[in-house]
Amino acid sequence: MGILLEKAGGGMVREENVKLMSKIAIYEKRKGKTEIPMNAYYKGDYVRLNSLKAVVSATVVFVLVAALVIVHKLEYILANVLKMDYKKLVILILAVYGIWIFLYWLIARILYAKRYEASRSNIIIYNHNLKKLQEENRKEVVKTKGGVVIGDDFIDF
């Protein structure tokens, strides 16, 4: 079936195992860096956690932009400090903040849900390849000990 390659230690390595290990290593180095940590979460938990992070960062951005607007309009604010209707101003700021946070949260939820779903097929293939490699390695160990693998059982002669 597969071509056997000589290992440095004297054992034999099957070509299929080398290909499988290469696939696993390439995935881990590229997409796996972001997708494997996702696999530690349920979809809902992953989406909620990252949506919360997005809301926190959106709040920081909102505060920074508000500070810039205040600095930019500082002359107007100081000139009209006694004439301003602070109740309307606070309601306006809270309304803008609410809309900003809601939109940011909604976009983050959609984005992270799609990202999680897109990674699922790659994770399934990765886990399948790991399981296949582990099974092949187990069979090789049994054979080197002089036994035979039948299903999940080991028979020693």
Side-chain angles (χ1 to χ4, degrees), residues 15 24-25 31 36 76 93 108 117 121 124 129 142 154 156:
E15 184 180 5
I24 290 169
K31 290 182 177 179
I36 292 172
Y76 172 80
I93 291 171
E117 284 300 320
S121 61
I124 290 169
N129 287 342
V142 169
F154 170 69
D156 192 11

Side-chain angles (χ1 to χ4, degrees), residues 6 8 13 92 134:
E6 190 70 34
V13 177
L92 175 67
Q134 185 179 20

